[in-house]
């Protein structure tokens, strides 16, 4: 049976081209790899090579023909033992076989945006996370993070920590203090200053079955490694059809510290929370830091764990429990109220809570929600609250455009539009790189005063 | 200690400066069985890639498609030097690596056509395929990314105290990425069991090594980190296999990483839409005519009476049938269900 040689597509977008000239003639014997013809596209002249062995039985489209559609038969190849006689019974298919186009693809079950007023939302109840009567101890966020890692490392030999100054220096911010002594240099590993490299090594080790914790001295430096975090860690489960996974935790301080200026003071919350395939956690309290870091280490996905340098030294009550693990993806109502919902996370919670205190003396009861996890984001709890208060203010240290507050605002507009009595307002870091001067830095960061003003505004009380 | 390491790197590099076995037939230190497998595996890759190129032309494969034609001796020779438990990782010119690892041509071809029978259920495509079962860790689309990842596989092998090693492939273009040197540094610092195989096919897309690299002898790129390197005729499967054995023995014995620069050549464009303006047709034709790894091996097999002409033709027919089956499977396997859009994002 003679074989048709078809007009090939030589690029992802080519639909037709010029058959410029034949490099073989009827009767020629060809083998795979031989150049048969030259084709011109809008981009370039390219060669068509033979794939099968045989004899050119008939040339169907002459050289120097314009606008030949992809998949049009351009010649017929005779295989060993066939001759021109076989061509008589052979009819070249008249119409080119249509190449499949993206437009033909069946509509996916996408969550088509639709307005619905029938939605209901249930707030997550965090009250059961710590059983009543549990002994509590005061502990800094720093100690809570260290204990979380130490507990998980005791339980699971696959867990190790690597990063700059995590071992002998005991951690640039002392978060890994004592880990080298307890676990040794095999599991507590000082790296060179080489974020791109060690982030990738961590992901590779995770592919291969380990459970790495990669510490970035700050998340500002993780920009050097963001390709490995997004392209390698976050996308591989999907790209492999679920075969591979990268259970890895990238952690370190995020956002502004104090007087370290633009390159060391950026909040990456919205950057990472944009990426499917990542889990993003940003705790405020020591208890959440501990319970969520333990959960992150056990999680089968790549987790971005955003800490804050200023919070490291702050003390909170932490439960004394053998194995205190918190659920990922659940917000916590840190302070209940009916008048306005204030949503924040991480360091922003400090401003939110200060503001709520100030508001209460003015007779406004704010409900303060700590998101704790940014991806997946617990919008159920936020929406349930907004349906109750009908007003919302978001607080974050990051920049306003495409920020976490922008996402929350859009979600509320979509799912609770009818419940809003005022537009959602965002309190954010100002839309500038972080300045060094003390007064300017203060202006650049969000303030409790700004949160108070925004809350009063949405309550029409200013 | 550091001094010892430095001298070892130097001597190793200088003794192996000339491509081994280039041009002339190497004295095979391989059994007829092994040689037949070399031939079979290389021809399987060649025919697979030719077919992939053809059905790309028919619109059955979309997007980018980087063919391995011309470079077959590299993966086949290297595969002969490792065990099935060792790990392999590479960049996006990856079809040959997968077939050499023993992955099913049907699953690879069906991934190229974006069907549910593909290794990534059609969600990865040409550049993103994996097989945990065959210890093939991808298939990575970002130039350079596979090098720290491969180093991480080796980190894990050492951490778990296994005797396994990693083959971490990259191209000559990759050799100019910064993360490669971050990896060389840590691999040597921590004595990780990884062989870095630089497939120098002379062109990073359209930029020749000469136009991109201050040091064109890529096997020397590990010198500042005391990583020994060796240049090998990557068009000669015997030379590749011999150098591979040596490098693999080195890393498996705990001495740290090793670099093999494979001097090879790709016959086809960088991807399917390559206008090939950066090199002459004569150059390509000369390589094909004088250095083709499969022709070279075929001649050796006939000369050494390992197989007759007719037996080799039979091999060819067998492979053709396998490829035809793969294409049929890849065309008939359904597209992934729409529901698959949302699966495998997170667990």
């Amino acid at each position: 049976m003679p074989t048709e040689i078809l007009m090939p597509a030589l690029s992802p977008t080519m639909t037709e081209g010029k058959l410029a000239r034949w490099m073989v003639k009827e009767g020629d014997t060809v083998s795979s790899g031989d150049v048969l013809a030259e084709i011109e596209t809008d981009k370039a002249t390219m060669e068509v090579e033979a794939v099968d062995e045989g004899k050119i039985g008939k040339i169907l489209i002459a050289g120097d023909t314009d606008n030949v559609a992809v998949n049009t038969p351009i010649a017929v190849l005779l295989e060993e033992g066939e001759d021109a006689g076989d061509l008589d019974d052979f009819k070249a298919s008249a119409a080119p076989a249509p190449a499949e186009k993206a437009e033909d693809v069946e509509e996916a079950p996408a969550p088509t945006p639709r307005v619905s007023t029938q939605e209901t939302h249930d707030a997550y109840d965090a009250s059961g996370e710590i059983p009543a009567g549990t002994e509590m101890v005061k502990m800094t966020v720093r100690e809570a993070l260290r204990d979380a890692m130490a507990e998980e490392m005791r339980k699971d030999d696959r867990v190790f920590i690597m990063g700059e100054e995590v071992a002998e220096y005991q951690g640039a911010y002392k978060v890994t203090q004592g880990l080298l002594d307890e676990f040794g240099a095999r599991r507590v590993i000082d790296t060179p200053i080489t974020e791109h490299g060690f982030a990738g090594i961590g992901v590779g080790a995770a592919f291969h079955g380990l459970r790495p914790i990669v510490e970035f001295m700050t998340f500002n430096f993780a920009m050097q490694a963001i390709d490995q975090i997004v392209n390698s860690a976050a996308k591989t489960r999907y790209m492999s059809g679920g075969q591979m996974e990268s259970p890895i935790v990238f952690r370190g301080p995020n956002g502004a510290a104090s007087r370290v200026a633009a390159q060391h003071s950026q909040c990456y919350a919205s950057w990472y929370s944009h990426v499917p395939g990542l889990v993003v956690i940003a705790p405020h309290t020591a208890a959440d830091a501990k319970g969520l870091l333990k959960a992150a280490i056990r999680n089968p996905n790549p987790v971005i764990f955003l800490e804050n340098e200023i919070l490291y030294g702050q003390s909170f009550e932490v439960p004394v429990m053998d194995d205190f693990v918190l659920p990922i993806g659940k917000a916590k109502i840190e302070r209940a109220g009916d008048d306005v919902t204030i949503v924040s996370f991480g360091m922003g919670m400090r401003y939110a809570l200060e503001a709520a205190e100030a508001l209460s003396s003015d007779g406004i009861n704010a409900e303060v929600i700590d998101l704790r996890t940014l991806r997946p984001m617990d919008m159920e709890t936020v929406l349930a609250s907004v349906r109750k208060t009908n007003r919302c203010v978001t607080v974050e240290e990051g920049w306003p455009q495409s920020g976490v507050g922008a996402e929350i605002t859009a979600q509320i507009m979509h799912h609770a539009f009818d419940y809003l009595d005022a537009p959602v307002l965002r309190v954010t870091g100002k839309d500038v790189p972080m300045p060094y001067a003390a007064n300017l830095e203060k202006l650049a960061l969000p303030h409790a005063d700004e949160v108070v003003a925004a809350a009063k505004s949405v309550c029409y009380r200013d | 200690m550091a001094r010892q390491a430095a001298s070892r790197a130097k001597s190793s590099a200088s003794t192996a400066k000339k491509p081994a076995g280039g041009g002339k037939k190497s004295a095979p230190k391989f059994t007829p069985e092994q040689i037949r497998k070399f031939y079979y595996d290389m021809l399987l890759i060649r025919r697979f890639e030719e077919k992939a190129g053809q059905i790309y032309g028919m619109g059955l494969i979309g997007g980018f498609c980087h063919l391995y034609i011309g470079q077959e001796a590299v993966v086949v020779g290297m595969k002969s030097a490792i065990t099935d438990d060792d790990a392999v990782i590479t960049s996006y010119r990856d079809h040959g690596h997968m077939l050499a690892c023993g992955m099913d041509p049907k699953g690879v071809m069906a991934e190229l056509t974006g069907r549910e029978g593909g290794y990534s259920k059609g969600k990865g495509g040409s550049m993103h395929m994996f097989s945990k079962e065959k210890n093939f860790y991808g298939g990575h689309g970002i130039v350079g990314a596979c090098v720290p990842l491969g180093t991480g596989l080796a980190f894990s092998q050492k951490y778990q105290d296994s005797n396994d090693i990693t083959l971490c492939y990259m191209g000559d273009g990759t050799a100019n990425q910064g993360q490669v040197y971050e990896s060389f540094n840590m691999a040597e610092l921590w004595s990780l069991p990884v062989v870095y195989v630089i497939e120098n096919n002379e062109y990073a897309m359209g930029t020749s090594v000469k136009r991109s690299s201050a040091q064109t002898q890529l096997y020397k790129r590990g010198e500042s980190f005391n990583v020994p390197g060796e240049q090998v005729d990557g068009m000669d499967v015997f030379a590749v296999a011999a150098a591979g054995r040596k490098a693999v023995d080195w890393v498996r014995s705990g001495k740290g990483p090793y670099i093999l620069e494979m001097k090879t050549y790709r016959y086809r464009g960088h991807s399917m839409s390559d206008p090939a303006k950066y090199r002459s047709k004569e150059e390509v034709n000369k390589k094909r005519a004088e250095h083709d790894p499969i022709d070279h091996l075929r001649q050796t097999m006939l000369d050494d009476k390992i197989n007759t002409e007719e037996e080799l033709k039979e091999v060819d027919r067998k492979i053709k049938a396998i490829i035809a089956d793969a294409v049929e499977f890849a065309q008939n396997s359904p597209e992934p269900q729409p529901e698959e859009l949302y699966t495998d994002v997170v667990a």
Side-chain angles (χ1 to χ4, degrees), chain A residues 3-4 6-13 21 23 32-35 38 43-47 49-53 70-71 80 97-100 104-111 156-160 162 186-187 189-210 224 227-228 231-232 234-245 276-279 299-301 375, chain B residues 46-47 50-51 53-54 56-60 62-64 69 85 87 89 111 115 119-121 123-125 128-133 135-140 142 144-162 164 166 177-179 182-183 185-187 189-190 192 267-268 272-277 281 285 288 313 316-317 320 335 338-347:
Chain A
T3 313
E4 287 180 346
L6 304 177
M7 179 74 171
L10 297 170
S11 78
T13 50
R21 64 181 173 128
M23 312 297 284
S32 65
D34 288 351
V35 178
E38 279 184 357
K43 283 191 200 145
T45 302
M46 286 184 272
E47 292 168 343
E49 289 182 7
V51 177
D52 303 303
E53 283 173 303
V70 164
N71 278 336
E80 213 173 324
E100 284 167 69
D104 302 337
V105 172
E106 209 176 318
E107 193 79 7
D156 186 350
D157 183 68
R158 296 172 303 169
V159 181
F160 68 96
M162 73 186 333
R186 173 175 167 264
R187 300 179 66 194
I189 301 152
D190 277 328
T191 64
I193 302 170
T194 178
E195 284 84 6
H196 201 178
F198 70 70
I201 287 177
V203 177
F207 285 170
H208 201 260
L210 299 187
Q224 300 253 10
D227 173 66
Q228 291 289 0
N231 270 319
S232 302
K235 296 180 185 170
T236 298
R237 182 188 299 279
Y238 196 79
M239 295 191 303
S240 67
Q243 270 190 82
M244 307 280 301
E245 62 180 14
L278 291 180
V279 168
N299 193 273
N301 302 294
R375 187 181 187 93
Chain B
R46 172 79 49 102
R47 295 287 175 257
E50 285 168 349
K51 203 67 182 174
Q54 187 190 29
Y56 185 97
M58 292 161 65
L60 287 166
F64 297 128
I69 299 174
D85 293 328
I89 189 167
E111 190 59 37
R115 305 305 174 93
Y119 267 97
S120 299
K121 300 194 232 168
K123 298 201 276 192
H128 315 111
M129 265 182 264
F130 306 80
S131 170
K132 261 212 130 148
E133 187 205 344
N135 284 304
F136 179 72
Y137 287 84
H140 296 272
I142 306 294
C146 65
V147 182
L149 294 172
T151 309
L153 299 175
F155 177 93
S156 176
Q157 288 161 331
K158 180 165 178 176
Y159 186 95
Q160 298 183 55
D161 217 8
S162 84
D164 303 330
T166 295
Q177 281 279 20
Q179 55 184 319
E182 299 187 23
S183 303
N185 184 40
M186 285 181 275
L189 195 62
W190 300 333
L192 302 182
Y267 297 170
R268 296 291 186 94
M272 295 306 294
S273 45
D274 180 341
K277 294 289 183 210
K281 208 172 282 181
N285 290 342
R288 288 175 93 134
K313 268 201 170 157
D316 212 344
R317 274 192 286 273
K320 253 192 168 163
E335 289 189 313
E339 291 73 30
E340 279 294 333
L341 181 62
Y342 292 107
T343 61
D344 306 321
V345 181
V346 288

Side-chain angles (χ1 to χ4, degrees), chain B residues 62-266:
Chain B
F64 297 128
C65 184
H66 307 89
L67 301 181
Y68 196 66
I69 299 174
Q71 302 181 211
E72 298 89 346
V74 178
V75 290
V76 170
M78 286 307 299
K79 176 62 190 172
S80 76
I82 61 172
T83 73
D84 288 342
D85 293 328
D86 294 326
V88 174
I89 189 167
T90 186
S91 195
Y92 48 73
R93 194 177 304 284
D94 55 358
H95 312 161
H97 303 69
M98 294 186 274
L99 296 176
C101 283
M103 287 167 67
D104 186 345
K106 285 183 185 162
V108 180
M109 197 67 95
E111 190 59 37
L112 297 184
T113 54
R115 305 305 174 93
E116 82 180 12
Y119 267 97
S120 299
K121 300 194 232 168
K123 298 201 276 192
S126 164
M127 302 185 285
H128 315 111
M129 265 182 264
F130 306 80
S131 170
K132 261 212 130 148
E133 187 205 344
K134 300 288 182 188
N135 284 304
F136 179 72
Y137 287 84
H140 296 272
I142 306 294
V143 173
C146 65
V147 182
L149 294 172
T151 309
L153 299 175
F155 177 93
S156 176
Q157 288 161 331
K158 180 165 178 176
Y159 186 95
Q160 298 183 55
D161 217 8
S162 84
N163 197 34
D164 303 330
I165 65 122
T166 295
L167 289 188
C168 178
Y169 290 90
M170 72 190 92
D172 48 279
T174 307
N176 292 320
Q177 281 279 20
Q179 55 184 319
V180 171
Y181 300 94
E182 299 187 23
S183 303
F184 285 178
N185 184 40
M186 285 181 275
E188 179 67 26
L189 195 62
W190 300 333
S191 295
L192 302 182
V194 52
V195 180
Y196 296 109
V197 185
I198 304 176
E199 297 192 68
N200 179 358
N201 65 18
E202 299 188 28
Y203 298 91
M205 213 167 153
T207 305
S208 68
V209 172
K210 277 190 201 107
R211 293 201 296 126
S212 64
S213 303
Q215 169 55 278
T216 58
Q217 303 299 304
L218 302 180
Y219 71 93
K220 292 183 178 172
R221 290 293 185 88
E223 279 181 2
S224 341
F225 310 98
N226 296 327
V227 182
E230 193 171 324
Q231 195 173 62
V232 183
D233 179 359
M235 304 299 272
D236 177 349
V237 70
F238 298 125
V240 172
R245 277 184 193 173
K246 187 175 143 196
V248 167
D249 285 350
W250 175 280
V251 306
R252 211 187 291 282
S253 67
K255 291 179 184 157
Y258 202 98
I259 295 169
L260 291 177
E261 179 193 1
M262 299 292 174
K263 297 281 281 177
T264 181
Y265 200 78
R266 72 170 148 72

Side-chain angles (χ1 to χ4, degrees), chain A residues 176-194:
Chain A
T176 52
Q177 193 149 34
L179 294 184
L180 176 65
D181 285 347
E182 181 174 352
F183 300 101
R186 173 175 167 264
R187 300 179 66 194
V188 184
I189 301 152
D190 277 328
T191 64
I193 302 170
T194 178

Side-chain angles (χ1 to χ4, degrees), chain B residues 314-326:
Chain B
E314 184 51 39
V315 173
D316 212 344
R317 274 192 286 273
K318 198 172 150 197
I319 287 173
K320 253 192 168 163
I322 290 170
I323 301 300
D325 279 355

Side-chain angles (χ1 to χ4, degrees), chain A residues 119-153:
Chain A
E119 295 180 35
T120 56
H121 303 283
D122 293 321
Y124 171 70
D125 179 7
S127 65
E129 290 177 349
I130 299 168
T134 304
E135 186 194 344
M136 303 295 280
V137 287
K138 275 256 177 195
M139 185 183 277
T140 62
V141 170
R142 172 183 286 118
E143 291 162 337
L145 292 168
R146 196 248 344 258
D147 287 359
M149 288 189 281
E151 286 177 22
E152 293 307 299
M153 288 174 78

